[in-house]
């Protein structure tokens, strides 16, 4: 699913109006009907007090149109115009007149107005600001927002919570509506998926307002939302007359004394992803643990008992996953640098291998094209430098990915894979996956997919989705607190099965699930 910017949404509206030969107000009426139908389906004529707070722009016009439909169906409503300046859009004025024609008299709120009385049994519809907001609201409006937030009422925001910016942070949590639910138009917004802004958008769903399909199909976006529908098209089925050699050979390089478990988890991820052969290259101290934990895996060891002091393996692999448990000993760093200067194989790099790269960024120039890097937030900061906010982080990460021709996986609640200036936002996963070793499993999983013939970028996107899906399946029996990396690895097979066994849940429900 494409994620459109604010500018693209405005263009989509204009394109739809022209192509379908409708007025902007008719498009607004579509929005209002969808919101009314959502409410009516749930309320079924019940009579809580519904407070509609409407700005003086087009989102306020949406709110006024919703108020008209609610009144016509007998609901108990109170309409407020948040009168923060003298400008009004034409569609707002049209819907204001329609309200007055039906003897519905809004309350105009200004700086001197008393705060409306709202109880926790009421419903608030927030249509104060939309996606066009470009500055922090004036003080009295933020006071009104705080009053709404503290009311305890159920708050439904139209398109976005009022006060949310699409491309930068909210300066104060008091300057944004804390919505219980958001009905967003046609597609979700990037801000819904970033940690610093997503906290205001825990529960949302998409309403289809009939934007012309030609625009939706033809318009390229910087970010796509990845769910089951998107990854299914990439799945490579197993053919009957094949053998283990058909599905590639994954090599996991890592481990050190006390950290052999990381290499084991990565190898397990590669094995369960479907790699035909899996080998591990580890220090001698890890030989028995690896062979005991995973008898299906072939093992070679370094000359050292405790550290990776060389990369002199003789495995003829398809792809190499390097980093889990590697350590950053001086001899390890030197061996890794020597390896990079000679290597021509596809790479997946994680953990301590990323830390070594961060300390000597000249090594980044030695990476093969389309190397996959999978940093957690601290590792990412060491690679690209600090950032001002999540939007700045994405820009710096995209620049890094472009500069070094790599696939950059930014791990988080919504892991984002960046490649050639485009971002792919994952929808699977849950908070229980914030556990030791989870990233090592992902490294192996992506490595195993590349071994089977998936391109590095598809392997990264698909691997992230399968990793999250495995976590979602495992957490059903274990709960968030008891979810482990091993249980995620052991459930990768279930994630493959799930691709074909159940219809996809609506994306909004997946979002709610992630928030616990």
């Amino acid at each position: 699913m494409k994620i459109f910017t604010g500018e693209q949404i405005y263009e989509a509206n204009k394109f739809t109006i022209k192509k379908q030969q409708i007025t902007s107000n008719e498009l607004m009426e579509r929005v209002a009907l969808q919101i009314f139908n959502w409410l009516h389906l749930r309320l079924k004529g019940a009579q809580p007090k519904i407070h509609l707070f409407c700005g003086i722009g087009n989102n306020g016009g949406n709110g006024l149109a919703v108020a008209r439909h609610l009144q016509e169906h007998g609901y108990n409503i109170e309409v407020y115009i948040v009168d923060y300046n003298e400008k009004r859009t034409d569609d707002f004025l049209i819907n204001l007149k329609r309200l007055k024609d039906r003897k519905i008299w809004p309350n105009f709120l200004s700086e001197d107005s008393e705060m409306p009385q709202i109880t926790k049994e009421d419903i608030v519809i927030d249509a104060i600001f939309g996606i066009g907001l470009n500055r922090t609201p004036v003080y009295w409006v933020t006071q009104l927002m705080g009053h709404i937030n503290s009311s305890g009422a159920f708050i439904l925001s139209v398109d976005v919570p009022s006060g949310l910016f699409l491309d930068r942070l909210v300066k104060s949590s008091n300057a944004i509506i804390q919505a219980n639910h958001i009905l967003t138009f046609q597609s979700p917004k990037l801000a819904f998926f970033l940690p610093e802004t997503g906290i205001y958008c825990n529960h949302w769903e998409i309403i289809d307002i009939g934007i012309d399909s030609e625009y939706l199909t033809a318009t390229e976006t910087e970010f796509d939302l990845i769910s089951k529908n998107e990854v299914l098209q990439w799945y490579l089925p197993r053919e009957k007359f094949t053998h283990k050699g058909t599905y590639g050979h994954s090599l996991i390089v890592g481990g050190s004394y006390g950290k052999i478990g990381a290499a084991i988890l990565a190898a397990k991820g590669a094995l369960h992803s479907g790699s035909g052969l899996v080998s591990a290259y580890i220090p001698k101290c890890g030989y028995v643990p690896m062979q005991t934990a995973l008898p299906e895996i072939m093992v070679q060891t370094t000359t050292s008992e405790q550290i990776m002091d060389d990369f002199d393996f003789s495995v003829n692999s398809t792809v190499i996953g390097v980093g889990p448990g590697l350590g950053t000993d001086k001899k390890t760093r030197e061996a890794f640098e020597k390896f990079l200067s000679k290597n021509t194989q596809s790479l997946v790099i994680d953990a301590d291998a990323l830390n070594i790269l961060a300390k000597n960024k000249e090594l980044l120039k030695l990476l093969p094209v389309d190397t996959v890097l999978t940093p957690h937030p601290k590792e990412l900061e060491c690679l690209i430098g600090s950032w001002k906010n999540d939007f700045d982080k994405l820009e710096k990460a995209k620049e890094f990915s472009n500069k070094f021709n790599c696939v950059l996986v930014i791990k988080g609640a919504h892991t984002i894979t960046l490649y050639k200036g485009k971002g792919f936002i994952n929808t699977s996963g849950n908070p229980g996956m914030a556990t030791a070793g989870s990233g090592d499993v992902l490294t192996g999983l992506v490595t195993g997919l590349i071994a089977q013939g998936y391109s590095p970028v598809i392997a990264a996107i698909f691997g992230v989705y399968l990793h999250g899906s495995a976590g979602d399946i495992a957490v059903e029996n274990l709960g968030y607190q008891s979810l482990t990396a091993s249980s995620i690895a052991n459930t990768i097979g279930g994630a493959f099965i799930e691709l074909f066994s159940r219809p996809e849940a609506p994306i909004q429900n997946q979002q709610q699930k992630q928030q616990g």
Side-chain angles (χ1 to χ4, degrees):
M1 177 182 290
K2 296 178 179 180
I3 297 177
F4 295 95
T5 64
E7 292 79 8
Q8 287 176 321
I9 293 168
Y10 284 125
E11 287 300 316
N13 290 344
K14 290 193 289 186
F15 184 93
T16 300
I17 289 166
K18 183 177 180 180
K19 175 83 178 295
Q20 299 180 6
Q21 297 183 336
I22 60 175
T23 66
S24 58
N25 194 257
E26 287 175 302
L27 186 59
M28 184 173 285
E29 194 66 14
R30 291 181 186 177
V31 172
L33 278 170
Q34 288 280 48
I35 296 169
F36 166 76
N37 288 337
W38 189 93
L39 285 163
H40 191 43
L41 180 65
R42 287 153 179 80
L43 292 175
K44 300 184 184 301
Q47 290 294 309
K49 185 68 172 288
I50 303 176
H51 303 264
L52 296 103
F53 290 88
C54 305
I56 52 180
N58 281 350
N59 216 38
N62 290 327
L64 295 177
V66 173
R68 171 166 38 88
H69 290 294
L70 288 169
Q71 191 268 349
E72 289 173 352
H73 285 77
Y75 285 100
N76 180 18
I77 68 169
E78 193 75 36
V79 183
Y80 307 90
I81 306 296
V82 184
D83 200 15
Y84 50 83
N85 68 34
E86 298 298 319
K87 297 178 181 179
R88 280 107 170 92
T89 65
D90 291 341
D91 288 328
F92 167 84
L93 292 171
I94 289 171
N95 281 288
L96 180 59
K97 182 178 184 302
R98 288 175 177 171
L99 270 191
K100 291 179 177 179
D101 289 344
R102 288 161 176 77
K103 310 301 182 187
I104 304 172
W105 308 110
N107 301 290
F108 282 78
L109 301 178
S110 64
E111 187 173 3
D112 300 323
S113 301
E114 292 186 8
M115 295 294 176
Q117 184 176 356
I118 309 170
T119 72
K120 63 182 181 180
E121 288 79 25
D122 297 344
I123 293 173
V124 169
I125 297 178
D126 156 41
I128 304 172
F129 301 112
I131 62 173
L133 185 67
N134 56 18
R135 59 187 174 187
T136 301
V138 296
Y139 179 67
W140 75 266
V141 176
T142 64
Q143 285 185 307
L144 173 63
M145 290 177 169
H147 175 69
I148 294 170
N149 291 337
S150 63
S151 68
F154 178 86
I155 305 172
L156 177 69
S157 282
V158 175
D159 201 17
V160 295
S162 289
L164 182 74
F165 301 110
L166 296 192
D167 58 357
R168 58 186 182 277
L169 296 189
V170 176
K171 289 186 177 180
S172 168
S173 59
N174 295 324
I176 185 170
I177 290 292
Q178 311 280 336
N180 297 95
H181 202 77
I182 304 162
L183 295 180
T184 195
F185 307 158
Q186 209 67 49
S187 77
K189 283 46 176 183
L190 175 62
F192 292 2
F193 305 102
L194 305 181
E196 293 173 323
T197 50
I199 56 174
Y200 304 112
C201 311
N202 284 343
H203 302 285
W204 55 268
E205 63 184 281
I206 298 165
I207 56 174
D208 185 353
I209 63 171
I211 295 297
D212 196 87
S213 59
E214 181 182 343
Y215 183 90
L216 298 176
T217 302
T219 303
E220 289 296 322
T221 56
E222 284 189 54
F223 292 91
D224 285 355
L225 194 63
I226 301 300
S227 61
K228 183 194 294 189
N229 287 336
E230 283 74 27
V231 300
L232 265 175
Q233 64 183 313
W234 299 323
Y235 173 76
L236 299 178
R238 294 261 171 160
E239 302 295 338
K240 179 178 180 180
F241 295 103
T242 56
H243 52 83
K244 61 187 178 184
T246 306
Y247 301 107
H249 190 166
S250 298
L251 172 62
I252 300 299
V253 178
S256 57
Y257 185 80
K259 297 181 181 177
I260 295 300
I264 291 173
L265 288 169
K268 184 179 285 190
L271 190 66
H272 285 289
S273 74
S275 183
L277 297 161
V278 181
S279 291
Y281 190 65
I282 54 178
K284 287 182 178 179
C285 65
Y287 180 80
V288 172
M290 181 69 78
Q291 291 277 249
T292 303
L294 299 171
E296 303 90 346
I297 288 174
M298 298 171 285
V299 183
Q300 293 184 10
T301 65
T302 65
T303 57
S304 170
E305 184 71 29
Q306 297 188 343
I307 65 170
M308 295 291 297
D309 62 346
D310 68 65
F311 279 62
D312 297 330
F313 47 80
S314 60
V315 178
N316 185 22
S317 63
T318 312
V319 56
I320 302 170
V322 57
L326 186 67
T328 56
D329 183 90
K330 181 181 178 182
K331 289 183 178 180
T332 302
R333 295 197 309 269
E334 291 171 351
F336 184 50
E337 292 171 13
K338 183 179 178 182
F339 161 72
L340 288 179
S341 67
K342 297 179 179 179
N343 173 65
T344 58
Q345 292 288 83
S346 295
L347 295 179
V348 179
I349 299 181
D350 187 31
D352 285 328
L354 292 173
N355 293 325
I356 294 172
L357 291 175
K359 291 178 180 177
N360 184 0
K361 291 188 170 62
E362 287 298 309
L363 297 177
L364 291 164
K365 299 175 182 178
L366 301 177
L367 300 180
V369 172
D370 293 351
T371 291
V372 180
L373 308 181
T374 61
H376 60 52
K378 191 61 181 178
E379 291 163 349
L380 179 67
E381 184 178 4
C382 291
L383 286 171
I384 70 173
S386 60
W387 48 80
K388 298 175 184 176
N389 54 54
D390 286 338
F391 296 99
D392 185 43
K393 175 177 70 176
L394 281 178
E395 287 305 311
K396 288 185 174 182
K398 282 194 285 187
E399 289 174 9
F400 179 93
S401 173
N402 290 336
K403 180 178 180 180
F404 296 106
N405 294 309
C406 65
V407 181
L408 185 59
V409 178
I410 304 175
K411 291 187 283 197
H414 287 284
T415 295
I416 301 177
T417 301
L418 297 173
Y419 181 66
K420 292 187 176 179
K422 191 172 180 74
F424 303 87
I425 302 174
N426 188 52
T427 56
S428 64
N430 62 78
M433 298 179 71
T435 186
S438 177
D440 301 320
V441 175
L442 176 63
T443 298
L445 205 168
V446 174
T447 302
L449 291 176
I450 294 174
Q452 294 170 73
Y454 292 88
S455 71
V457 64
I458 296 302
I461 300 167
F462 193 16
V464 166
Y465 178 83
L466 288 171
H467 183 251
S469 181
D472 289 339
I473 296 168
V475 83
E476 291 179 4
N477 294 320
L478 298 173
Y480 292 148
Q481 288 76 16
S482 296
L483 189 65
T484 64
S486 292
S487 62
I488 295 170
N490 292 335
T491 317
I492 292 171
F496 277 106
I497 293 171
E498 196 275 340
L499 287 173
F500 303 95
S501 64
R502 294 185 288 185
E504 182 174 28
I507 291 175
Q508 60 270 16
N509 290 340
Q510 294 176 10
Q511 169 78 348
Q512 293 171 20
K513 173 188 64 182
Q514 286 187 29
Q515 300 299 330

